[in-house]
């Protein structure tokens, strides 16, 4: 994992430098359920994404949390940290470096941490429609349950990001990510819609699918989560 550590160190330095010379913008989403009575249920869904641009450089960072407790029994507990830095080659193409770490109590992996880099291209980049693709390679470290076995492997990484403004107040998006290595292939897709209430707040609906190809017997390979959220832009 030495190569991944070097990539992570460089990317972290770039992100830190960016905070000193540019204003960050972004949005946060919150969704939750609180039920009391015959059944006590608490669900919380949080997501924050920020970004800035300095000349040819742009930086993104984000975090998310999903947790569900029913009658004192936890049935979902997952958090993720992610970051990405890009260097623009021209109006459409760029180079990128990305980091991602996730911890999920209800999969066969205690955590999956990846560091990758590669090439990205804007197929469409207008005010109303944005469509881009990424391809690259990197490293991944995982720790398995229940024996705590750790493994490192090289991965191929691909991503597709699409968003379109149906109207001035309605936005649809789809974000696809795949990280494929010899030990496991991780696939994630998020499809959603956001409708503005005013200049600051919006209501959102998000459907996320996550898939791991290499799991222990008795474990589902695919997780699906549908959430309704309040979106705050800043």
């Amino acid at each position: 994992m030495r190569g991944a550590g070097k990539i992570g160190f460089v990317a972290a330095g770039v992100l830190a430098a960016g905070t000193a010379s540019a204003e960050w913008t972004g949005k946060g989403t919150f969704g939750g359920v609180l039920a009391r009575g015959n059944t006590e249920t608490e669900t919380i869904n949080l997501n924050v994404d920020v970004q800035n641009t300095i000349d040819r450089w742009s930086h993104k960072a984000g975090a998310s949390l999903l947790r569900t407790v029913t009658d004192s029994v936890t049935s979902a507990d997952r958090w993720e940290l992610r970051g990405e830095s890009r260097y623009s080659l021209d109006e459409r193409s760029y180079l990128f470096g990305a980091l991602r770490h996730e911890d999920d109590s209800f999969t066969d992996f205690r955590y999956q941490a990846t560091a990758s880099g590669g090439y990205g291209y804007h197929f469409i980049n207008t005010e109303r429609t944005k469509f881009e693709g990424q391809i690259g390679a990197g490293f991944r470290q995982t720790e398995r349950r229940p024996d705590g076995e750790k493994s490192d492997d090289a991965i191929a990484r691909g991503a597709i990001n699409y968003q379109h403004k149906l109207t001035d107040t309605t936005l649809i998006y789809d974000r696809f990510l795949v990280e494929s290595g010899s030990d496991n292939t991780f696939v994630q897709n998020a499809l959603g819609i956001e409708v503005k209430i005013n200049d600051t707040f919006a209501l959102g609906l998000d459907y996320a699918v996550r898939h791991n190809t290499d799991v222990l017997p008795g474990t589902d390979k695919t997780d699906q989560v549908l959430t309704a959220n309040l979106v705050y832009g800043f």
Side-chain angles (χ1 to χ4, degrees):
M1 198 61 182
R2 292 180 181 178
K6 291 179 180 178
I7 295 174
F9 180 78
V10 172
V14 171
L15 286 171
T19 61
S21 54
E23 181 180 354
W24 290 79
T25 61
K27 66 179 180 181
T29 63
F30 171 78
V33 174
L34 179 64
R36 291 293 183 267
N38 293 322
T39 300
E40 296 187 356
T41 300
E42 299 172 1
T43 296
I44 184 171
N45 178 58
L46 295 173
N47 188 81
V48 177
D49 287 289
V50 296
Q51 61 182 6
N52 73 7
T53 300
I54 312 167
D55 298 325
R56 287 177 173 262
W57 286 97
S58 62
H59 312 289
K60 297 181 179 181
S64 60
L65 169 69
L66 175 66
R67 181 176 174 82
T68 297
V69 180
T70 302
D71 293 335
S72 300
V73 177
T74 302
S75 57
D77 190 6
R78 179 174 69 240
W79 60 269
E80 179 186 73
L81 299 175
R82 54 192 176 271
E84 180 180 296
S85 288
R86 301 180 176 185
Y87 180 76
S88 177
L89 299 174
D90 53 44
E91 291 184 355
R92 288 187 176 270
S93 60
Y94 59 89
L95 301 177
F96 74 89
L99 300 172
R100 191 180 72 87
H101 180 101
E102 73 160 34
D103 187 299
D104 193 333
S105 299
F106 290 88
T107 69
D108 291 343
F109 301 97
R110 282 196 173 92
Y111 70 83
Q112 296 189 68
T114 63
S116 59
Y119 174 80
Y121 189 81
H122 295 280
F123 299 100
I124 304 174
N125 191 17
T126 65
E127 183 178 352
R128 184 167 292 275
T129 304
K130 299 184 184 301
F131 178 45
E132 67 174 359
Q134 294 181 344
I135 187 170
F139 302 90
R140 174 174 58 197
Q141 184 178 78
T142 62
E143 181 178 338
R144 281 188 173 275
R145 293 186 176 88
D147 54 11
E149 178 185 357
K150 294 183 179 180
S151 63
D152 299 340
D153 63 339
I155 61 169
R157 179 188 186 275
I160 297 175
N161 299 310
Y162 173 80
Q163 70 175 47
H164 176 69
K165 289 184 179 180
L166 294 175
T167 68
D168 291 339
T169 59
T170 304
L171 172 75
I172 60 172
Y173 61 84
D174 190 84
R175 306 184 186 108
F176 173 82
L177 171 67
V178 58
E179 297 168 343
S180 181
S182 59
D183 293 337
N184 180 54
T185 294
F186 170 79
V187 179
Q188 177 175 265
N189 193 80
L191 173 66
I193 185 171
E194 295 178 1
V195 180
K196 278 189 174 183
I197 302 173
N198 52 40
D199 291 339
T200 303
F201 291 99
L203 294 176
L205 190 65
D206 184 274
Y207 174 63
V209 179
R210 299 158 53 85
H211 181 81
N212 288 285
T213 59
D214 186 18
V215 299
L216 296 174
T219 302
D220 290 337
K221 293 184 177 181
T222 303
D223 292 322
Q224 303 176 63
V225 179
L226 177 65
T227 56
N229 306 292
L230 178 66
V231 182
Y232 172 70
F234 56 92

